[in-house]
Amino acid sequence: MKDLTFLLQNIDTIILGICLCVGFALKQAFTWFNNKYIPITMLCMGTIIAIVTNLGNVNAAVILGGMISGLASTGLYEMLRNLINIDGKSDTEGE
């Protein structure tokens, strides 16, 4: 198995937190917003936030960091949901 720790070094906690909150709000506020679109939405949002916060110094590392942070927010949400069993679903339901 390859070592993916270099990806963790690119996570921006501010972007992760913003994407986590926005993703949660989307999920709660809009019943028509399909869950399968949340990861791509957070990927795009994380990328845009990273670019805006690093204007004048945008490079591939900045873009990658935004993408990883946005996607990590969806994983963090799922982990927290499973930890506190927020919606009564078990880990095996829906598979």
Side-chain angles (χ1 to χ4, degrees):
M1 183 167 173
K2 295 188 183 223
D3 184 19
L4 299 177
T5 56
F6 74 94
L7 292 175
L8 295 175
Q9 296 170 352
N10 288 312
I11 291 178
D12 182 315
T13 54
I14 301 298
I15 295 173
L16 180 121
I18 291 169
C19 289
L20 178 65
C21 292
V22 171
F24 178 77
L26 284 173
K27 187 169 177 60
Q28 299 302 312
F30 303 109
T31 55
W32 53 265
F33 195 81
N34 197 320
N35 287 346
K36 71 179 180 181
Y37 298 118
I38 291 178
I40 191 69
T41 304
M42 295 304 100
L43 180 138
C44 293
M45 175 173 275
T47 305
I48 291 167
I49 293 170
I51 290 171
V52 169
T53 57
N54 289 287
L55 282 177
N57 192 26
V58 176
N59 56 35
V62 168
I63 294 170
L64 179 64
M67 294 170 81
I68 291 171
S69 300
L71 286 176
S73 71
T74 61
L76 180 59
Y77 172 81
E78 287 300 315
M79 183 185 74
L80 292 173
R81 183 182 62 82
N82 289 334
L83 244 147
I84 62 175
N85 199 14
I86 198 167
D87 53 9
K89 293 181 181 177
S90 69
D91 288 342
T92 58
E93 282 185 34
E95 291 180 6

